Amino acid sequence: SLGAVDQTDALKGVISLQNVYKLSTSDVGNAMNFLSSAQASTSATMGELIQAMPKVGPLAVSLGASYKQVVAMLVAMREGGIGAVEGANALKTSLQRLVSPTKAAATEMEGFGINIKSIVAQNAGNLVGMIESLQVALSKLDPIAKSQALTALFGKMQAVRMEALLNNFNVSGSQSAKIMQMSILSNP
C-alpha cells in the first residue's frame, strides 16, 4: 500500500500518472521517488496525491504544468486545509474559469484592477506563471476585495479552495515552496 491506498488503486494511479503526464517507465520510478519525498516533507500522503493528480492532470499538462508542479499546487492547497482530491477537483474547475473567464467575471476583475485575460495571455504555456501572476495581482487588494475578486472569478464554491492555493503556493517557507525547490533539483 502507498500512503493509505491499496495495491490495486496504487497501480491504477501509477498507470494514470504515466498516461496523463506522458512518463516513460524510468520516469515513473522517478515520479514515485518524488512523491515519496513529497510525502516525507509535507502533510500530504502519497496515496492522496496519486488519487488526486490524474483528476487535474490533463488540464494542467495542457496549460504547461509538470506533475511536480501539480504536486506543489496540491500541497499548497493541503496547507490551507483542502484535501488533495478535493483540491484537484477544485483546481480543475478553477483553472478552466481562469483561462476562459466569463465576460462578467473578467469585467468584475477589471474593477479590482486585475486584467485576468492579460495574465493568462502573458503566461500561455506556463501555469506556474499564471498562478504567481494572479498571486501578485491579488496581493494588492485588501482582504475583503481579494475575497470578492476570487468569488467573481472562481465562483462561491471554489473561491475558498483557490484562496488556499494562492495563499500558500510557493510562498517562502511553505511546504509547497519545498516541493518547488525539490522539483528543480530532482530528475525528470
Side-chain angles (χ1 to χ4, degrees):
S1 137
L2 292 171
V5 176
D6 68 35
Q7 272 187 317
T8 303
D9 288 340
L11 182 58
K12 287 178 188 175
V14 168
I15 291 169
S16 183
L17 278 175
Q18 187 172 20
N19 292 334
V20 169
Y21 295 95
K22 308 296 183 223
L23 301 177
S24 70
T25 304
S26 64
D27 287 343
V28 169
N30 291 334
M32 298 313 292
N33 289 336
F34 184 82
L35 291 172
S36 179
S37 294
Q39 176 178 267
S41 302
T42 70
S43 58
T45 69
M46 184 185 291
E48 69 181 345
L49 292 172
I50 287 173
Q51 289 176 320
M53 290 177 58
K55 296 181 183 314
V56 70
L59 179 58
V61 166
S62 74
L63 296 175
S66 70
Y67 72 89
K68 294 174 184 180
Q69 293 167 333
V70 172
V71 169
M73 290 176 199
L74 294 173
V75 166
M77 294 177 93
R78 187 84 169 88
E79 287 179 275
I82 308 299
V85 174
E86 180 183 357
N89 286 322
L91 197 54
K92 179 177 60 176
T93 300
S94 298
L95 292 177
Q96 291 168 333
R97 291 177 180 166
L98 176 64
V99 299
S100 187
T102 64
K103 190 173 190 168
T107 300
E108 197 162 343
M109 292 298 286
E110 284 182 17
F112 292 107
I114 300 171
N115 185 331
I116 201 68
K117 290 183 179 184
S118 177
I119 287 173
V120 171
Q122 290 171 2
N123 293 286
N126 179 5
L127 179 55
V128 169
M130 264 185 237
I131 298 296
E132 290 176 339
S133 293
L134 185 56
Q135 282 175 310
V136 169
L138 290 167
S139 72
K140 299 173 184 167
L141 302 178
D142 66 64
I144 298 294
K146 179 180 177 182
S147 180
Q148 291 170 333
L150 289 170
T151 301
L153 182 58
F154 299 120
K156 290 178 183 177
M157 292 294 292
Q158 304 307 339
V160 170
R161 293 168 182 90
M162 288 305 290
E163 189 160 11
L165 170 69
L166 295 164
N167 285 344
N168 296 298
F169 182 68
N170 213 9
V171 173
S172 180
S174 69
Q175 293 177 6
S176 66
K178 277 188 212 174
I179 298 300
M180 289 298 287
Q181 186 62 33
M182 286 171 35
S183 75
I184 294 166
L185 300 174
S186 65
N187 294 326

